[in-house]
Amino acid sequence: MSDAVSPLATPFPELPAIAGVTPRVARAGYKDWGRCDLTYVELSQDTAVAGVFTRNVCCSSEVELGRANVAQGRARALVVNAGNSNAFTGYRGREAVEQIMTQVAANLGCAQEEVFVSSTGVIGVPLPKDKARAGIEAALAADECTWEEAARTIGTTDTFPKGASAKAQLGAVQVHFSAIIKGSGMIAPDMATMLGYVFTDAAVSPGFLQECLSAANRRTFSCITVDSDTSTSDTVLAFATGKAGNEPLTSFDSPGADAFAAALEDICRQLSHLVVKDGEGAQKFIAVAVSGAVSDESARKVGLAIANSPLVKTAIAGEDANWGRVVMAVGKAGEPADRDRLSIGFGGTWAARDGQPLADYDEAPVAAHLKGREISIEVDLGLGDGRATVWTCDLTHGYISINADYRS
């Protein structure tokens, strides 16, 4: 992880232990940075799993195998490697992943398909099999670690470890969620964006868990962007051990299903915001709220066009209330928009209404708002009831500095 901490960083929260979940960390030495770089999480038998994965067609073997394995719905272990993404590494990369899966499965006495592997770091370097084998051996022998240690271990350019918790009342039973995530750059919504893992003690069928995670993803991870670049390794997995003892949730007709889905979405939203707040070089957290679109999906696409605009992001970095750049971004989104119905504001102050600047527009409150750490941009298209919120960060010289020498 980076030594310099984002000004938007938040302290790592107290996360509850989840029955049936045991995290450990070890050092495999994938990168010469003198710290643990392998997080291993052991899961109790019959743990349900669901996942969403990158749509990047140059994805890693970890993603390909994870996508196939999640279909069978059960998990016994998770392995996350940091420092080497093992993407674009051909058969050698796939063999390394299969070796890890086989090694862990043999130790647990489970099917190889119940072991999930993620890797993050430099693209194009096969994961060293000898280091992978030794790292797994060390992890299997390690003591249980804290959630913060597990989160810190999977970071790359992250400047702070990221975690979140939630809970839900399912009738007489309260269920708990703990989650960790890594992500700072190469962040754009095309499924999810980064490596994120949610653990709960709720009893949930794999099919319903997948339904809830996919829905939560659409409104959280798929609504964030740092730099418009979709990673080759993006993965979000949810694991449900069933240890809470609630009546298993199988559909939205199950008692407590709505509460469970709401808690899962809440923790996903918390995680997604943490990733944006650690955007490479970020100084400001930006919420782009779009209303008046022809549909929610159209509003999301307009919001992403604004959030991904280098001109908008640099204007915010410079604390310049240049709403004309927002007009430009709306117009290039490829979604229905009418110049003469468009309204734009910052921090609750409207700068333009119905296609023209307000005659009494006072830029002073907008300028004051842009000096803060958390910025809001409001756009009303005036065409319908569609709405969406997208989250991003500003674009600073720090982003260039980090990525210009990433491999060194």
Side-chain angles (χ1 to χ4, degrees), residues 30-54:
Y30 294 124
K31 188 175 179 179
D32 185 20
W33 48 17
R35 66 167 176 84
C36 290
D37 55 4
L38 188 155
T39 290
Y40 170 77
V41 183
E42 191 169 315
L43 305 159
S44 59
Q45 287 187 336
D46 298 321
T47 292
V49 63
V52 285
F53 302 86
T54 184

Side-chain angles (χ1 to χ4, degrees), residues 86-251:
N86 197 37
F88 203 68
T89 54
Y91 74 91
R92 289 179 297 173
R94 187 179 181 92
E95 287 179 350
V97 183
E98 290 175 337
Q99 173 187 289
I100 291 171
M101 294 167 64
T102 300
Q103 184 179 359
V104 173
N107 179 267
L108 295 177
C110 68
Q112 180 175 305
E113 293 74 22
E114 292 181 283
V115 180
F116 289 79
V117 182
S118 299
S119 299
T120 177
V122 174
I123 293 171
V125 180
L127 198 71
K129 292 182 182 179
D130 55 341
K131 292 183 177 180
R133 184 179 296 106
I136 292 297
E137 288 178 359
L140 293 173
D143 294 332
E144 182 174 355
C145 70
T146 66
W147 285 119
E148 183 172 359
E149 289 172 316
R152 189 176 296 278
T153 295
I154 66 177
T156 50
T157 60
D158 303 61
T159 73
F160 63 95
K162 305 171 184 67
S165 65
K167 57 187 176 182
Q169 195 69 36
L170 310 184
V173 178
Q174 187 173 78
V175 300
H176 296 87
F177 299 76
S178 288
I180 60 174
I181 198 164
K182 68 84 56 183
S184 184
M186 206 179 284
I187 302 295
D190 201 356
M191 134 346 255
T193 43
M194 69 277 107
L195 300 181
Y197 309 99
V198 180
F199 305 90
T200 178
D201 55 6
V204 192
S205 71
F208 185 61
L209 184 61
Q210 184 65 58
E211 181 181 355
C212 292
L213 180 63
S214 295
N217 171 67
R218 284 193 296 273
R219 293 186 287 268
T220 59
F221 298 120
S222 285
C223 288
I224 65 171
T225 180
V226 168
D227 48 22
S228 82
D229 286 332
T230 301
S231 171
T232 57
S233 306
D234 293 347
T235 299
V236 172
L237 295 170
F239 302 95
T241 66
K243 296 297 185 180
N246 62 287
E247 188 70 24
L249 305 177
T250 58
S251 73

Side-chain angles (χ1 to χ4, degrees), residues 313-324:
K313 290 158 72 75
T314 50
I316 299 299
E319 301 176 355
D320 179 10
N322 191 342
W323 54 266

Side-chain angles (χ1 to χ4, degrees), residues 291-292 294 330 337-344 350 352-356 379-384:
S291 61
V294 295
V330 171
D338 184 336
R339 177 197 63 197
D340 297 328
R341 297 186 182 186
L342 181 61
S343 302
I344 295 170
W350 291 101
R353 279 282 200 183
D354 300 322
Q356 55 187 326
V379 174
D380 187 346
L381 299 174
L383 299 177

